[in-house]
Structures are given as structure tokens and as C-alpha cells.
């Protein structure tokens, strides 16, 4: 009797892993947010915005690269919209860097109320001959004022 019972349990345990339940997800998943772009000359690019004091917005653009023979032009754009129009550049600044390292721009710009704001980082990579070999952009989250 014990042999039959153990044989039945062994068969049940062997068949259990073969039964897999599959169901569709009910939520809407945006897979574009889960896949990061691949770059040849940079390892990371970032854009950030936060609310400062007295109506100012703290804006930041950053990147990281291990390339030693490239020139990088980093631009930081503060964009705004009133929700009835497209994003428009409100303020901007650029700096040029060369060699490997972590570089950033941080600016405090006055941001009047009544608009939504975001930062867009644009990075242009040039080789030693001055030819553009790569461009990358990154947008921050939205600051609602």
C-alpha cells in the first residue's frame, strides 16, 4: 500500500511543474520606458528640474563619458508650456567639455507661475576632426507651477 501511495505522489509531483498558468496583463505597460537607448560615446545622460526659492527653477543637465579623444557640447534648455501649446524653449545655456569624466550644468532660472516647465538636455559629440559622431537628448519630468 505504501508503494502505491508513494508512486501516486511521485507521479503527481512530476506532473505539477508541467502545469503553468498564463494570463494577460490588465495594465497598460509602456515598454519604451523600460528600454534605455545605447550610445557609443557616452555612458549616461540626464536632465532634472526642481522648484527653487522665490519663483526660480533649478535646472540641471549632466552626462558621463569614458572617451578621451572626443569633444562634448552640452546644452541645457528650460522649456515651458501653458498646456494649450507645444513645448517652447524659454532659457538655454551651453558648455563645451573634452576628455573623459562626469560633466554637468546647473542653472537657476526665474520661472513665472502659470506654466509647466521641463528641462531638455542635448549632447553633441564630436571627434578630433570636429565631425559630429553622436547626438543624445533627454527630457526631465514636468514641474507644474
Amino acid at each position: 500500500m505504501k508503494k502505491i501511495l508513494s508512486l501516486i505522489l511521485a507521479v503527481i509531483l512530476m506532473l505539477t511543474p508541467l502545469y503553468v498558468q498564463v494570463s494577460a496583463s490588465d495594465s497598460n505597460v509602456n515598454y519604451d520606458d523600460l528600454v534605455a537607448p545605447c550610445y557609443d560615446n557616452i555612458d549616461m545622460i540626464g536632465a532634472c528640474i526642481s522648484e527653487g526659492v522665490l519663483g526660480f527653477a533649478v535646472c540641471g543637465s549632466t552626462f558621463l563619458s569614458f572617451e578621451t579623444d572626443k569633444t562634448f557640447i552640452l546644452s541645457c534648455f528650460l522649456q515651458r508650456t501653458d498646456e494649450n501649446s507645444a513645448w517652447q524653449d524659454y532659457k538655454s545655456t551651453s558648455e563645451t567639455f573634452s576628455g573623459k569624466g562626469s560633466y554637468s550644468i546647473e542653472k537657476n532660472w526665474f520661472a513665472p507661475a502659470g506654466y509647466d516647465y521641463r528641462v531638455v538636455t542635448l549632447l553633441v559629440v564630436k571627434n578630433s576632426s570636429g565631425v559630429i559622431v553622436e547626438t543624445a537628448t533627454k527630457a526631465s519630468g514636468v514641474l507644474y507651477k
Side-chain angles (χ1 to χ4, degrees), residues 43-73:
D43 292 308
M44 185 273 304
I45 184 171
C48 63
I49 187 168
S50 62
E51 191 162 0
V53 295
L54 300 174
F56 281 81
V58 180
C59 307
S61 294
T62 185
F63 77 96
L64 172 67
S65 178
F66 294 111
E67 296 293 324
T68 57
D69 60 340
K70 301 291 190 285
T71 301
F72 305 95
I73 302 168

Side-chain angles (χ1 to χ4, degrees), residues 93-140:
T93 187
S94 293
E95 290 187 34
T96 302
F97 304 98
S98 59
K100 67 180 180 178
S102 176
Y103 301 102
S104 62
I105 296 174
E106 185 173 307
K107 286 290 194 179
N108 290 311
W109 281 311
F110 182 70
Y115 295 94
D116 298 335
Y117 294 91
R118 74 177 182 182
V119 169
V120 173
T121 299
L122 171 65
L123 181 65
V124 177
V125 182
K126 295 183 177 182
N127 64 13
S128 58
S129 301
V131 176
I132 296 174
V133 294
E134 189 170 30
T135 59
T137 59
K138 176 75 174 184
S140 72

Side-chain angles (χ1 to χ4, degrees), residues 11-23:
V11 170
I12 291 173
L13 289 175
M14 286 178 26
L15 295 177
T16 302
L18 299 177
Y19 174 67
V20 178
Q21 182 177 0
V22 178
S23 63

